[in-house]
Amino acid sequence: MVGNKAGVHDGDIQVVEEGDPVEPGDTLVVAEPWVYAIQPQFRNKVCEKCMVYRDGWGEITSCSKCDSVGYCSQECREGDLDRHRVECSLVSLRGRRTWPHRAWFVARACLKVQAEGYEEKDRINNKRSRAFGDLVDHYSDVTADAGKEEQHGWWYKEVQDLLGSLMPDKEEYLSIYGRLLVNSFALRVDNKGEEENIGTALYRACSIFDHSCRPSATTVFTGPKLQIKSMVASPSMQLGDFFISYLDESVTKKARCSKLKSTWYFDCGCDACNDETNEKGKHSAVCETENCEGEVCVEIVCWTWENCDQCGKELSKSSKFRYQETYEMVRQVVDENGGEIQFTDVSEFLVKQMSGLFHHHDIEFWQAAQGAAQGHCICKGWTKAVMYLELAIPGVRKYYRTYSGYLGPTLEHYGEALYQLGRGEEARRAMEEARDIMRVIPGEENYMYRVYFMPKYLKICGE
């Protein structure tokens, strides 16, 4: 059932009141960014004011004085003047140089604090609000983090070079930096039906949500606004009962806990981390027994193997050795690519190496298949797109909740690829399931659903 509750309104977005029943798809919190920064490579593609993405020649024009921001119209340029005036003067005085994305983000926050202080509130609902000063600054964690100090020095020198006499003292700077580090979100915008990560933003109201590796809420972007939407039903909305995931919850517990500790400075004790069965299958081989589709799970830290979960047979020593050897090669390739595979041919190579040995629930296998599928969808290579999507979908189903924002778009791509190959009935089934998911999250009111998904759905399903 799609949520439709009475409550606080933020423009045309309806927010559930605390104490009211919640359905999947209901908006718990909505906010505009308190401060944000667009990455340099997107400054001539994304409007600084309304966040619209335009990649045509001259559609985004840069500020003539500083060349650090761009706008889609004169209206947006004038609407952003009050916010941009001080930073524009500072950049112009310093030779219009380009500043590192993170330094630009922190510098903007410093200027924001100077302009309005720490206590200006961002309304959450009729009972709550949240100010920048309410956020934990993790000062002791930040100052004790030798890794970040050695890596970029907390961007202190770069921000100091930009702000000059407007630079806060170091203690206050690190307090501001810590609040940003721990509470920021990726800034995402629509790029022709796909969400593009174009920068970093702090949403004071949305920062109220804690983390869980088994989240009950997820993020939905609408222009500059960020909505936190429920993925589950609840008889009474209490914000403290809802959690979002700060990272990709499909990765292993070890990887999640390491990332959470190094970035957000806490040890995770969520339900997923305490559930011993939650990690089952994330590293697993295909059972060798004929006609058995079971998985043989392995703990890669100490390379201890279980027997097949279907037939109970043990994997042969040679297959165990091949799996370990292949896994180490895959991790080497992934690590050399910065932890993510950006190239279709690399993803295809990895899938080929793992095929017939890695189970389709193995995260290395299905994530590589998903990467290959995305590349072929973009290039309209529909035959290979279908092949790789069919390899990836079982893993997406297993490791993400239905309304997490992963399964719906994956099924949409699968349905479109099937349709292009003339497999109409299969395409309709995929698109029907995708619609059932996406009308809840991102929601029927969301532009991604209305502008991109529904025309495609109507074309394929003919309703």
Side-chain angles (χ1 to χ4, degrees), residues 220-222 227 229 442-451:
V220 174
F221 289 86
T222 304
Q227 298 175 71
K229 288 196 166 195
E444 292 176 308
E445 78 288 351
N446 185 267
Y447 67 94
M448 297 284 279
Y449 182 87
R450 291 184 288 104
V451 176

Side-chain angles (χ1 to χ4, degrees), residues 13 27 29-30 218-220 222 225-229 445-446:
I13 298 175
T27 298
V29 172
V30 59
T218 190
T219 57
V220 174
T222 304
K225 293 182 179 180
L226 172 61
Q227 298 175 71
I228 306 297
K229 288 196 166 195
E445 78 288 351
N446 185 267

Side-chain angles (χ1 to χ4, degrees), residues 382 386 389-390 393 397 408 410-435 453 456-463:
W382 304 117
V386 166
L389 282 165
E390 288 176 346
I393 287 173
R397 289 190 187 278
T410 301
L411 290 170
E412 175 189 353
H413 294 318
Y414 183 48
E416 180 182 17
L418 289 167
Y419 176 79
Q420 296 294 339
L421 294 177
R423 295 164 61 178
E425 186 57 36
E426 294 171 275
R428 284 188 286 274
R429 285 199 299 269
M431 293 300 285
E432 290 285 0
E433 185 180 358
R435 186 185 67 163
F453 176 75
K456 196 180 298 181
Y457 170 83
L458 293 172
K459 179 180 179 181
I460 294 173
C461 297
E463 292 185 11

Side-chain angles (χ1 to χ4, degrees), residues 233-249:
S234 173
S236 176
M237 199 283 274
Q238 304 296 329
L239 285 177
D241 295 338
F242 289 86
F243 299 87
I244 61 175
S245 180
Y246 295 176
L247 39 63
D248 183 352
E249 60 266 31

Side-chain angles (χ1 to χ4, degrees), residues 111-157:
L111 294 175
K112 189 85 168 180
V113 167
Q114 290 178 15
E116 63 184 42
Y118 288 87
E119 301 308 321
E120 183 174 304
K121 300 288 187 180
D122 191 9
R123 188 184 188 193
I124 297 174
N125 55 35
N126 283 340
K127 296 181 180 180
R128 301 196 194 199
S129 60
R130 196 161 174 85
F132 186 61
D134 294 329
L135 310 185
V136 179
D137 65 11
H138 289 269
Y139 183 85
S140 60
D141 293 314
V142 169
T143 54
D145 192 339
K148 287 188 176 62
E149 182 179 14
E150 182 178 342
Q151 182 182 10
H152 49 64
W154 311 299
W155 304 110
Y156 184 83
K157 184 181 185 303

Side-chain angles (χ1 to χ4, degrees), residues 26-307:
D26 281 340
T27 298
L28 306 176
V29 172
V30 59
E32 294 199 15
W34 179 73
V35 67
Y36 60 91
I38 296 171
Q39 296 177 38
Q41 65 267 34
F42 292 107
R43 288 179 185 168
N44 64 348
K45 296 181 179 180
V46 179
C47 177
E48 190 76 25
K49 177 64 175 174
C50 70
M51 304 290 178
V52 67
Y53 191 105
R54 295 282 186 268
D55 59 2
W57 178 259
E59 290 188 276
I60 301 293
T61 56
S62 298
C63 172
S64 59
K65 293 183 179 180
C66 71
D67 199 35
S68 294
V69 298
Y71 300 100
C72 67
S73 67
Q74 186 63 27
E75 180 182 0
C76 280
R77 186 184 303 275
E78 293 173 357
D80 197 43
L81 186 59
D82 288 343
R83 187 200 59 79
H84 180 56
R85 183 178 285 109
V86 173
E87 67 185 24
C88 182
S89 298
L90 291 171
V91 175
S92 299
L93 286 170
R94 285 146 183 79
R96 294 166 45 135
R97 58 179 276 199
T98 299
W99 301 86
H101 163 63
R102 291 287 180 179
W104 183 249
F105 181 51
V106 182
R108 280 184 160 180
C110 293
L111 294 175
K112 189 85 168 180
V113 167
Q114 290 178 15
E116 63 184 42
Y118 288 87
E119 301 308 321
E120 183 174 304
K121 300 288 187 180
D122 191 9
R123 188 184 188 193
I124 297 174
N125 55 35
N126 283 340
K127 296 181 180 180
R128 301 196 194 199
S129 60
R130 196 161 174 85
F132 186 61
D134 294 329
L135 310 185
V136 179
D137 65 11
H138 289 269
Y139 183 85
S140 60
D141 293 314
V142 169
T143 54
D145 192 339
K148 287 188 176 62
E149 182 179 14
E150 182 178 342
Q151 182 182 10
H152 49 64
W154 311 299
W155 304 110
Y156 184 83
K157 184 181 185 303
E158 291 84 353
V159 176
Q160 187 178 48
D161 289 345
L162 174 57
L163 297 186
S165 62
L166 298 179
M167 181 73 173
D169 64 53
K170 192 164 188 176
E171 183 175 348
E172 182 180 15
Y173 173 84
L174 290 175
S175 178
I176 293 171
Y177 170 83
R179 287 180 171 91
L180 297 174
L181 177 68
V182 174
N183 293 282
S184 298
F185 289 78
L187 180 60
R188 299 179 183 276
V189 299
D190 162 44
N191 178 11
K192 299 176 182 175
E194 301 290 341
E195 279 194 347
E196 184 90 51
N197 181 355
I198 56 98
T200 309
L202 179 84
Y203 303 82
R204 291 171 297 178
C206 298
S207 68
I208 198 169
F209 290 93
D210 288 331
H211 165 82
S212 172
C213 300
R214 188 176 289 155
S216 52
T218 190
T219 57
V220 174
F221 289 86
T222 304
K225 293 182 179 180
L226 172 61
Q227 298 175 71
I228 306 297
K229 288 196 166 195
S230 176
M231 292 193 285
V232 299
S234 173
S236 176
M237 199 283 274
Q238 304 296 329
L239 285 177
D241 295 338
F242 289 86
F243 299 87
I244 61 175
S245 180
Y246 295 176
L247 39 63
D248 183 352
E249 60 266 31
S250 74
V251 300
T252 63
K253 177 182 176 180
K254 180 183 178 181
R256 296 194 312 269
C257 289
S258 175
K259 180 68 173 178
L260 291 167
K261 187 67 172 179
S262 64
T263 303
W264 292 279
Y265 304 114
F266 71 88
D267 296 307
C268 189
C270 72
D271 291 344
C273 287
N274 289 324
D275 181 359
E276 294 182 0
T277 67
N278 190 60
E279 299 300 294
K280 189 175 180 63
K282 289 189 174 181
H283 294 299
S284 55
V286 176
C287 180
E288 297 168 307
T289 303
E290 188 175 358
N291 298 323
C292 179
E293 297 182 355
E295 56 186 321
V296 184
C297 299
V298 58
E299 172 51 67
I300 63 167
V301 175
C302 51
W303 290 104
T304 56
W305 291 83
E306 297 180 9
N307 292 343

Side-chain angles (χ1 to χ4, degrees), residues 246-377:
Y246 295 176
L247 39 63
D248 183 352
E249 60 266 31
S250 74
V251 300
T252 63
K253 177 182 176 180
K254 180 183 178 181
R256 296 194 312 269
C257 289
S258 175
K259 180 68 173 178
L260 291 167
K261 187 67 172 179
S262 64
T263 303
W264 292 279
Y265 304 114
F266 71 88
D267 296 307
C268 189
C270 72
D271 291 344
C273 287
N274 289 324
D275 181 359
E276 294 182 0
T277 67
N278 190 60
E279 299 300 294
K280 189 175 180 63
K282 289 189 174 181
H283 294 299
S284 55
V286 176
C287 180
E288 297 168 307
T289 303
E290 188 175 358
N291 298 323
C292 179
E293 297 182 355
E295 56 186 321
V296 184
C297 299
V298 58
E299 172 51 67
I300 63 167
V301 175
C302 51
W303 290 104
T304 56
W305 291 83
E306 297 180 9
N307 292 343
C308 174
D309 66 343
Q310 297 295 317
C311 70
K313 296 287 184 66
E314 182 181 0
L315 198 67
S316 67
K317 288 184 178 179
S318 61
S319 291
K320 290 178 182 178
F321 176 79
R322 285 177 51 228
Y323 181 97
Q324 182 174 348
E325 186 178 51
T326 305
Y327 170 82
E328 290 171 350
M329 179 275 295
V330 170
R331 287 312 313 170
Q332 180 179 350
V333 172
V334 173
D335 292 343
E336 287 174 352
N337 281 269
E340 293 185 7
I341 303 300
Q342 303 289 343
F343 302 103
T344 305
D345 57 344
V346 177
S347 295
E348 288 189 285
F349 167 77
L350 294 180
V351 172
K352 183 178 180 180
Q353 301 306 306
M354 291 184 278
S355 291
L357 180 61
F358 284 52
H359 195 271
H360 56 231
H361 287 159
D362 188 288
I363 58 174
E364 308 295 347
F365 181 76
W366 69 261
Q367 288 182 350
Q370 190 173 46
Q374 289 172 347
H376 285 293
C377 283

